[in-house]
Amino acid sequence: MPSRDRIGRSQLKIEIYKVKIIIEIMKYNTQQKKMALPEYGRSVQNMVDYAVTIEDRAERQWCAETIIHIMEGMFPNLKNVPDFEHKLWDHLAIMSDFKLDIDYPFETIKPENLKVKPDPIPTNEKRMRYRHYGRLLENLIKKACEIEEGDEKNNLLALIGNHMRKDYITWNKDSIDDQKIADDLKELSDGKLHLNEDILALMAERMEKNYRQQRTVQKNMTPQKQNKNKKQK
């Protein structure tokens, strides 16, 4: 029979081994190898790492195809996306750090292509006079200057005026009068656009119409939706 000391030492080794397993399981991701594509998770990354270590080429190939099948199942809604399978094989190569020696069904991405920076997005560097009105409103004012006098231009000016009122109050949180809007519009249009009495009346008519529409929508809403909107406000 084995001695008690030998049994004790064996039991101690088992307990130490259990602790090592628990420590390995409880490791934080920050303590482990950085993942090239975190969206696939640690389990898939471990599969890829294991596939790289397989010596038999046929078995390594089978393992890689199995991993691709698993990756495909993680995003079933993308199966009909063009080149989806090609992208999966690219991702497999990236996750293996391009060390997985298999027969790829597609020509995969090259390591040097990953470091190529995209072309910078062109931006409009022209300075805005009033940032709270935004670039879109400036473009709208420029368009209004090109329209001939008539109902179309008047309606557009009323739309611009009400939009300027809304933007001004949103950013400044102060009361505002029509003269301030008229002065800003005149400045932004280089003196080409003016808010006369007809435009101001049209602005008021539009605001009243929008208010009535909002009231109608609120009346037709169920009590549950009304309470939800009040909570959001």
Side-chain angles (χ1 to χ4, degrees):
M1 289 181 63
S3 63
R4 289 186 177 181
D5 291 341
R6 185 175 297 177
I7 294 175
R9 287 195 297 270
S10 299
Q11 188 66 32
L12 180 61
K13 288 182 180 180
I14 293 173
E15 294 301 324
I16 292 174
Y17 182 70
K18 287 181 180 179
V19 171
K20 287 182 178 180
I21 293 175
I22 293 173
I23 292 174
E24 187 68 26
I25 293 173
M26 293 181 66
K27 275 185 178 179
Y28 290 103
N29 282 335
T30 53
Q31 297 174 291
Q32 301 188 49
K33 172 186 172 183
K34 184 179 179 180
M35 292 186 291
L37 298 173
E39 57 267 32
Y40 288 105
R42 179 66 60 183
S43 297
V44 174
Q45 182 63 59
N46 290 341
M47 294 178 197
V48 176
D49 294 341
Y50 171 73
V52 174
T53 64
I54 298 175
E55 296 182 0
D56 183 73
R57 186 177 182 83
E59 184 180 350
R60 191 166 60 243
Q61 181 74 32
W62 177 84
C63 184
E65 293 173 359
T66 303
I67 294 173
I68 289 293
H69 182 71
I70 293 172
M71 293 165 61
E72 186 179 18
M74 295 175 67
F75 305 99
N77 56 313
L78 300 178
K79 285 185 178 181
N80 296 326
V81 175
D83 299 329
F84 175 59
E85 188 178 356
H86 191 171
K87 292 177 182 177
L88 291 179
W89 286 100
D90 282 341
H91 292 171
L92 179 64
I94 293 170
M95 285 191 289
S96 69
D97 197 20
F98 301 94
K99 297 176 181 177
L100 187 58
D101 183 17
I102 58 172
D103 296 323
Y104 290 91
F106 304 96
E107 183 178 354
T108 57
I109 189 171
K110 304 299 181 184
E112 55 271 16
N113 293 341
L114 292 177
K115 300 178 181 179
V116 177
K117 293 183 178 180
D119 296 331
I121 299 175
T123 56
N124 191 343
E125 298 180 356
K126 183 180 177 182
R127 181 177 175 273
M128 289 188 291
R129 300 183 192 180
Y130 297 105
R131 297 183 66 85
H132 55 273
Y133 289 135
R135 183 81 62 191
L136 179 62
L137 188 67
E138 287 191 359
N139 294 337
L140 203 58
I141 291 173
K142 183 179 178 181
K143 183 66 178 178
C145 293
E146 301 172 356
I147 299 177
E148 296 181 359
E149 298 295 332
D151 291 341
E152 182 182 359
K153 186 169 185 175
N154 291 343
N155 279 285
L156 181 57
L157 287 176
L159 175 67
I160 292 172
N162 284 334
H163 194 73
M164 291 175 68
R165 286 180 60 90
K166 182 180 67 174
D167 287 342
Y168 188 93
I169 294 173
T170 300
W171 285 91
N172 293 278
K173 304 296 183 185
D174 295 327
S175 59
I176 182 174
D177 57 16
D178 293 331
Q179 188 59 47
K180 172 61 177 173
I181 297 298
D183 293 342
D184 289 350
L185 179 62
K186 182 179 179 180
E187 181 181 352
L188 290 171
S189 65
D190 296 326
K192 297 178 181 178
L193 300 178
H194 305 275
L195 293 183
N196 55 35
E197 294 297 328
D198 293 337
I199 302 299
L200 292 174
L202 190 56
M203 287 171 57
E205 180 183 339
R206 281 176 168 272
M207 291 180 64
E208 179 64 24
K209 182 178 179 181
N210 290 337
Y211 176 76
R212 290 198 302 268
Q213 288 177 345
Q214 290 178 0
R215 293 288 297 174
T216 302
V217 171
Q218 290 178 354
K219 287 181 181 179
N220 294 333
M221 289 175 63
T222 60
Q224 292 82 356
K225 289 186 177 180
Q226 289 180 354
N227 294 333
K228 184 178 179 181
N229 289 341
K230 289 180 180 178
K231 290 180 180 178
Q232 291 177 348
K233 291 179 181 179

